[in-house]
Amino acid sequence: MTEREPRAARRGRPRQAEVARLAGVSQTTVSLVLGGNKQGIVIQEATRARVLEAARTLGYVPDPAARRLAAARNNLLGVFSFTATFPTAVEHSYYRFLVGVEQEAAARGYDLVLFTGSSSGGAGAGAPGALDRVRLADGCLLLGRHVPTEPLRRLVADGFPLVSIGRREEPEGLAWVGADYATASAEVVGHLAGLGHRGVLLVREDDDAPASADRQRGFVEGLAAAGLPAPDGTVVRTARPAAEIDAAWVRARYAEGVTAFVAEETDTGDAWRALTSAVAGAGLRVPDEVSLALLGSPSADLSGQPEPTGFDIPRAELGATAVRLLTDLLADPLAEGERPSAGLVSCGFRPGVTVAPPPRRAAP
Amino acid sequence: MTEREPRAARRGRPRQAEVARLAGVSQTTVSLVLGGNKQGIVIQEATRARVLEAARTLGYVPDPAARRLAAARNNLLGVFSFTATFPTAVEHSYYRFLVGVEQEAAARGYDLVLFTGSSSGGAGAGAPGALDRVRLADGCLLLGRHVPTEPLRRLVADGFPLVSIGRREEPEGLAWVGADYATASAEVVGHLAGLGHRGVLLVREDDDAPASADRQRGFVEGLAAAGLPAPDGTVVRTARPAAEIDAAWVRARYAEGVTAFVAEETDTGDAWRALTSAVAGAGLRVPDEVSLALLGSPSADLSGQPEPTGFDIPRAELGATAVRLLTDLLADPLAEGERPSAGLVSCGFRPGVTVAPPPRRAAP
DNA sequence: CGCATCAGCTAATGCGTATTAGTCGGAAGG
DNA sequence: CCTTCCGACTAATACGCATTAGCTGATGCG
């Protein structure tokens, strides 16, 4: 046989040892120069320069796995999605987070590793241990609605730096960033009240997501803050908006003095859709006769319609915030038992064109 | 000081060694049972069971970093994009590639590392060595029209597995996958000719990307195949379509007997935009009086407009094909001097609504 | 002048796993 | 009865890097 090469025939990918040989120093010195050298060991400028030069010539890049194993940093941030990150369906919104994540990570000198949790086959799938791949990175962002709590709990318990994008209660001790739906919703209500609306109503779907609950809470608080009444029926919760929110219903509410309808944004956008068509069906003009507001961003298929008043979820900013939180965690890991911080990012008010002062008319 | 623990305070996380101790076997045996055991070494069923049991009790989870270090491969595919920011926004045409890339990579058990010309560990875009960071992955996909050849040449020379998405001539020996623009363009011309058009013209931007060249070649070949003349001026190449392609120009061409205008799709979409507005400005109706075709997919901001006739670039499929090519390369590296393979993926014809038979009128 | 000090390196290890050479007791074969 | 072979493991080592002990020659100091 031939001269046995160092296993996988040195396919490019130079090692520190090769850099060392070229620079005429030891591997240790190379590590010292190129790595952190936290120990503050003194290296002569000339030597240092030679090493850097050699590294450049060879195009040396540290092996993340080796670095990681040697208990050091990778400069890699993981992004684990429980569904495909680049969804085929464009309406799916995860990619919006990613733009913020990407920018912020780049700005901080981190590269991103995409771990795809879902989909078929390979290392993916719900295969046990799928989530554990993220240990290759220094820390990881979590993206997606449905998350297997158990494996997560393990990572959290081990003190692996994790930040969830989107509020998450479940694994105790998990850091997260989320949009401040409550404040934003209250703000929308405040805006309506400021214009003179006295009868304001919320239509929400039958869904227990924290995001929905937060919106409702904000809505109610907004009413209270504006000194508006919140009689029974102020929050309408329905599983089938299309069926229950119709022209007759709108007319009835209008007759009772309701001049503004607020809908929550959901995956489907059904609440808003039902509301707009019901109002149109009732022959009421928007915003001259009734005002409409949407607690969230309109879904993509509504792009032709007049822009709803409401708020926008700053997804990119959320992504960026998550990266900041994560890198902070990396720089300064939690002490034993310390509660992780969480971040609420505020949503921007979107003026839109579906809200105006209420019509003047006889008091009901 | 306290009893010095094995460095990073045994954060729970059991090792194979601990499993081994509990099961009363060696670490090797544990690795054999829990790992792949590709070598087909025989282990007694009883032993195997004991190991599995021990692993379960301790909650053993393999360390991916160690695993990858030992296997001399990271299961990471890089995606390097030569754009300012990583094309994570759907609006960006590259996004479509990513959906295919992600799917195929996941299916093959690879994770993705995202590199941007500008990220790269803070090294900055054109910074020498920015591209070297991709060496951290097992292989890398290249995305973008204009690519700095020099740094690439290095990687290619080192035998680092690379696949370009989009045809690329430049660094000799670079593998690529590309859309078959030539055939698709010829097909569009054939379609026009079949409807009776005799005067057909191509508007392209002033750009030397292979993608542009391929389209022009296909266009010219299409004319030849249909037996149509290709006098001087049949291919209009302009750096400023908006300025040079105007109503007067269109009228003049129309007077000369041109009944169909073909534009190439580019990053900017300028050629097509200029063409449509010039035709509109000339008062010519599409497709009754003139036919328009677009060699590519309309950019997202044109989604309101009537659908252009032309062809679609199967971006997701291209991405997937690129991943396949790359993983093949990984499994079976090129021998010294061997030419890499390349793959052409065919584009689908898109009927659209901007093409019709030419109007009947007196011969010019 | 002898010895501690220090600057500037290098040799040796460890991280957790996969792989490659064994090792060892017994069954088969001559 | 002595090899050979085989089944079932284990010891040793490599992977690439960071870190921790040195180690060496020059300088300082009393």
Side-chain angles (χ1 to χ4, degrees):
Chain A
M1 274 293 152
T2 67
E3 185 79 27
R4 206 171 79 102
E5 292 186 51
R7 176 122 43 158
R10 261 308 66 74
R11 260 312 197 184
R13 219 161 149 39
R15 310 291 126 107
Q16 285 190 345
E18 278 132 72
V19 176
R21 207 173 314 136
L22 180 58
V25 298
S26 72
Q27 177 263 322
T28 304
T29 304
V30 174
S31 173
L32 254 21
V33 171
L34 299 177
N37 189 8
K38 314 274 184 204
Q39 310 78 241
I41 293 181
V42 194
I43 306 271
Q44 262 198 342
E45 194 45 42
T47 311
R48 172 187 208 69
R50 256 184 308 138
V51 170
L52 288 172
E53 173 58 20
R56 187 135 14 88
T57 338
L58 294 180
Y60 169 79
V61 171
D63 181 325
R67 254 182 115 105
R68 185 73 198 153
L69 190 56
R73 291 286 165 75
N74 268 162
N75 277 286
L76 287 182
L77 295 187
V79 178
F80 193 94
S81 345
F82 297 91
T83 60
T85 308
F86 299 115
T88 323
V90 166
E91 307 80 57
H92 211 288
S93 49
Y94 293 156
Y95 74 89
R96 298 220 176 253
F97 293 117
L98 214 44
V99 354
V101 168
E102 213 282 322
Q103 279 194 3
E104 189 67 21
R108 300 188 167 234
Y110 284 91
D111 287 315
L112 251 31
V113 184
L114 250 42
F115 299 101
T116 305
S118 76
S119 74
S120 48
L131 188 55
D132 285 304
R133 282 177 300 159
V134 306
R135 290 185 193 267
L136 181 66
D138 289 341
C140 191
L141 262 27
L142 265 22
L143 215 48
R145 271 175 194 273
H146 307 291
V147 175
T149 314
E150 252 341 294
L152 255 192
R153 200 184 300 283
R154 189 54 188 275
L155 283 175
V156 172
D158 286 354
F160 186 83
L162 288 173
V163 174
S164 164
I165 298 185
R167 189 151 78 82
R168 201 154 299 184
E169 305 279 291
E170 252 311 0
E172 178 79 21
L174 177 62
W176 53 266
V177 299
D180 188 356
Y181 296 120
T183 301
S185 299
E187 191 180 354
V188 169
V189 173
H191 182 69
L192 289 168
L195 290 174
H197 291 274
R198 307 279 311 160
V200 183
L201 217 122
L202 171 66
V203 177
R204 68 173 280 196
E205 294 185 22
D206 197 17
D207 180 328
D208 278 319
S212 292
D214 287 355
R215 285 177 170 96
Q216 174 168 342
R217 186 162 52 76
F219 176 83
V220 172
E221 287 172 5
L223 287 181
L228 293 186
D232 273 5
T234 296
V235 173
V236 180
R237 178 165 175 157
T238 167
R240 311 191 322 282
E244 303 189 24
I245 308 296
D246 59 11
W249 181 87
V250 166
R251 257 186 236 109
R253 297 292 86 68
Y254 188 67
E256 291 168 13
V258 173
T259 54
F261 296 85
V262 179
E264 99 170 295
E265 178 209 0
T266 59
D267 284 353
T268 60
D270 282 345
W272 176 255
R273 213 184 320 268
L275 201 49
T276 48
S277 66
V279 166
L284 291 168
R285 279 168 297 127
V286 175
D288 302 326
E289 294 177 292
V290 298
S291 289
L292 298 182
L294 175 63
L295 303 182
S297 311
S299 63
D301 58 326
L302 264 45
S303 60
Q305 322 269 332
E307 188 183 37
T309 297
F311 60 78
D312 287 311
I313 302 164
R315 299 194 210 266
E317 195 187 329
L318 268 172
T321 305
V323 170
R324 273 191 290 272
L325 191 53
L326 185 55
T327 52
D328 288 353
L329 232 42
L330 255 35
D332 180 22
L334 293 183
E336 189 68 32
E338 187 182 346
R339 293 285 308 272
S341 45
L344 277 183
V345 175
S346 49
C347 304
F349 181 74
R350 180 187 57 239
V353 298
T354 60
V355 160
R360 291 192 213 159
R361 55 174 183 175
Chain B
M1 274 296 156
T2 67
E3 185 78 29
R4 205 171 78 104
E5 292 185 53
R7 179 124 39 161
R10 254 315 67 73
R11 266 299 212 178
R13 249 173 104 46
R15 311 291 125 111
Q16 286 188 347
E18 278 133 69
V19 176
R21 208 172 312 137
L22 180 57
V25 297
S26 72
Q27 176 265 320
T28 305
T29 305
V30 175
S31 173
L32 254 21
V33 171
L34 268 25
N37 188 9
K38 316 273 185 206
Q39 308 79 241
I41 293 181
V42 194
I43 305 271
Q44 260 197 343
E45 194 43 44
T47 311
R48 171 186 209 70
R50 255 186 308 138
V51 170
L52 289 173
E53 173 58 20
R56 186 134 17 85
T57 359
L58 294 181
Y60 169 80
V61 173
D63 180 336
R67 201 174 254 247
R68 289 170 181 197
L69 180 56
R73 104 184 328 222
N74 283 316
N75 275 306
L76 289 181
L77 297 187
V79 181
F80 195 97
S81 135
F82 293 93
T83 51
T85 65
F86 203 82
T88 27
V90 244
E91 298 82 57
H92 199 112
S93 60
Y94 292 158
Y95 178 88
R96 302 281 161 156
F97 292 124
L98 292 181
V99 352
V101 167
E102 187 194 21
Q103 275 194 5
E104 191 67 22
R108 300 189 165 232
Y110 284 92
D111 291 312
L112 258 29
V113 191
L114 270 30
F115 300 101
T116 311
S118 60
S119 74
S120 302
L131 192 54
D132 277 327
R133 277 199 60 72
V134 306
R135 288 183 193 263
L136 155 170
D138 295 333
C140 191
L141 261 28
L142 267 21
L143 214 49
R145 260 168 105 97
H146 304 289
V147 174
T149 314
E150 249 345 289
L152 260 191
R153 201 183 299 282
R154 248 311 275 294
L155 286 174
V156 172
D158 285 357
F160 185 84
L162 288 173
V163 174
S164 163
I165 299 186
R167 188 156 78 81
R168 203 151 299 183
E169 303 280 285
E170 255 311 2
E172 177 79 20
L174 177 62
W176 53 267
V177 299
D180 189 356
Y181 296 120
T183 301
S185 299
E187 192 179 351
V188 168
V189 173
H191 181 70
L192 289 167
L195 289 174
H197 291 273
R198 305 281 309 159
V200 182
L201 215 120
L202 172 66
V203 177
R204 68 172 280 196
E205 295 185 23
D206 197 17
D207 180 327
D208 277 320
S212 293
D214 286 356
R215 285 177 171 97
Q216 174 167 343
R217 185 162 52 78
F219 176 84
V220 172
E221 287 172 5
L223 288 181
L228 294 186
D232 274 4
T234 296
V235 173
V236 180
R237 179 167 176 156
T238 166
R240 311 193 320 283
E244 304 189 24
I245 308 295
D246 59 10
W249 181 87
V250 166
R251 258 187 234 107
R253 299 290 86 67
Y254 188 66
E256 291 166 14
V258 173
T259 55
F261 296 86
V262 179
E264 102 172 292
E265 179 209 359
T266 59
D267 284 352
T268 60
D270 282 345
W272 176 257
R273 213 184 320 269
L275 200 49
T276 49
S277 65
V279 167
L284 291 168
R285 279 169 299 124
V286 176
D288 302 325
E289 294 177 294
V290 299
S291 289
L292 299 183
L294 175 62
L295 302 183
S297 312
S299 63
D301 58 326
L302 265 45
S303 61
Q305 321 267 334
E307 187 183 36
T309 297
F311 60 77
D312 287 311
I313 302 163
R315 300 197 208 263
E317 194 187 329
L318 268 172
T321 305
V323 170
R324 272 191 290 273
L325 191 52
L326 185 54
T327 52
D328 288 354
L329 233 43
L330 255 33
D332 179 21
L334 292 183
E336 190 68 32
E338 185 181 349
R339 293 285 308 271
S341 45
L344 275 184
V345 175
S346 51
C347 303
F349 180 75
R350 179 188 57 236
V353 296
T354 59
V355 161
R360 289 187 215 162
R361 56 175 182 174

